[in-house]
């Protein structure tokens, strides 16, 4: 798929929707840096409340960011289907993330009629090696 | 293991620690209802901010609650090892959770020298069937 | 759900089907010890070919056994729907399994219209603590 | 990491080891097509025994291939550490794989002192879209 294929929603529309519709993730103040058909990059600016003992970003921050990144991947292909829901999220925590902004890059692996699969890598801003990897699946709303 | 084996921390001590130490999970206002050696039950009282489109509790709420439940399981056996960190979290979202409090029940599957494994079931308060199941692994801090 | 609810297939019918239909798992020579509505126990008698370096049972043996255990759970509720397929399998390897028979116990967590979710614990025969835990999801065949 | 960095074992040595040491995977007759530092490609030539009802390649074939691909990734960096063992394997089954050879491509995400993390994509030979994605973690043998 071409890297810059036109997405079914704009980055701005998706960012407004996710900030408005999913209150729990408002704490991330997500900035949708790029949203193309099948590719999404979202940045969560650093907040001291991200931290856990040891001074690293806590797991729930990374998981929430991975989840909304997959939400964006679904919408990039299918449009603003708000009622798509997560069915599975698997995260491997690779390295302790620094006290910094977190950047998530998601790629759509498959958009089926019932299930959408994606892969998300998460980074501490400015560091090349990922801090976490997530495999996320959404169920598409039933027709009818 | 006997159901009421003495834990290495008290419920009250763990609740204070997790509320203090992991700011992201403060929004859950977790109430540690039971904490025994290898078994933990935590309740997150309902907050309208838990909801996502469709009026169900959002995935990040469930994942954050599962993560701190495993944190409690680790401490129930090993004491207050704040520097234990999540290495893996896998969640299956079974049913759409109602707009209600969420209750997590975790069981320790193995406490190894390096890794601790647990299983967490999450419920909408007052409903018998679970809304999500999580397998969570923590890495124990290195000696020295 | 009552422990001995009548299943939609018999243990013998499921055992014959899985041995016939899934050649890869024939090496396990699976013995379906119990199959009730929502509960399945399957035993794989020890074979020296199960072993890997270190003298423990290899991961692929455990994963294949978990997969067919979930296949049995689906059929225990829905009958002989051969075309149900795995969508997700997550396994945590808890302990090194001895050179012994492997026993899997599966519980159905949810049987939806589209997806079926189960939890499988695997044991070295005769040992109380599980050697692995799996969360497995199957997609039900589309109507029509 | 440069694409062709020298690996700590050769493809031929790893192929001989895995065929010899892991009997369960002999049925895959794995051909190690490429093995570099942090990258491995393995091909399993088609065998009618791979199939399950519906005429697609069965899940256990894909999981076994993902597992040995991660074994190769570990050895590509650390040398022939036979006693490294799987701790976690998560697989998402994206599409029904055709009755064809299966090709796995693995990338090392992190090689830690205790844990090694990798990402594996599996393909039906000759088809561009992956049929499955796996996240696999190995524990390194303890020093001493």
């Amino acid at each position: 798929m071409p890297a810059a294929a036109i997405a079914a929603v704009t980055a701005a529309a998706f960012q407004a929707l996710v900030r408005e519709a999913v209150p729990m993730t408002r704490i991330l103040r997500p900035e949708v840096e790029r949203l193309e058909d099948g590719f999404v990059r979202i940045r969560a600016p650093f907040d001291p409340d991200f931290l856990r003992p040891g001074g690293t970003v806590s797991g729930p921050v990374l998981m929430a960011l991975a989840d909304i990144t997959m939400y964006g991947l679904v919408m990039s292909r299918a449009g603003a289907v708000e009622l798509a829901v997560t069915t599975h999220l698997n995260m491997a925590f690779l390295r302790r993330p620094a006290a910094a902004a977190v950047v998530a890059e998601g790629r759509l692996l498959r958009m089926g009629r019932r299930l959408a699969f994606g892969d998300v890598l998460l980074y501490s801003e400015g560091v090349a090696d990922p801090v976490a990897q997530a495999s996320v699946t959404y169920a598409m709303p039933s027709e009818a």
Side-chain angles (χ1 to χ4, degrees), chain A:
Chain A
M1 130 191 24
I6 301 300
V9 290
T10 65
F14 172 65
Q15 179 172 308
L17 184 152
V18 78
R19 287 190 178 209
E20 170 63 28
V22 191
M24 249 306 273
T25 58
R26 263 187 226 141
I27 198 175
L28 302 176
R29 290 174 296 143
E31 300 165 1
V32 181
E33 295 193 330
R34 219 169 118 185
L35 188 149
E36 297 161 7
D37 177 30
F39 178 82
V40 174
R41 185 194 298 133
I42 304 184
R43 175 180 190 269
F46 179 69
D47 184 311
D49 275 356
F50 285 2
L51 298 182
R52 45 148 290 155
T56 64
V57 174
S58 74
V61 171
L62 303 180
M63 295 187 284
L65 188 57
D67 189 44
I68 63 171
T69 301
M70 185 63 203
Y71 204 32
L73 288 171
V74 168
M75 293 196 190
S76 82
R77 179 69 53 88
V81 285
E82 285 188 40
L83 296 182
V85 294
T86 319
T87 65
H88 296 81
L89 187 146
N90 181 70
M91 184 169 276
F93 298 83
L94 308 170
R95 296 175 176 83
R96 308 202 181 186
V102 184
V103 176
E105 292 196 347
R107 282 165 189 80
L108 195 61
L109 291 175
R110 185 183 181 224
M111 182 82 205
R113 201 164 46 84
R114 294 172 164 201
L115 296 177
F117 300 82
D119 187 84
V120 182
L121 286 167
L122 295 106
Y123 298 87
S124 285
E125 195 169 48
V127 178
D129 288 321
V131 295
Q133 183 273 334
S135 301
V136 194
T137 306
Y138 266 59
M140 303 303 294
S142 301
E143 329 72 67

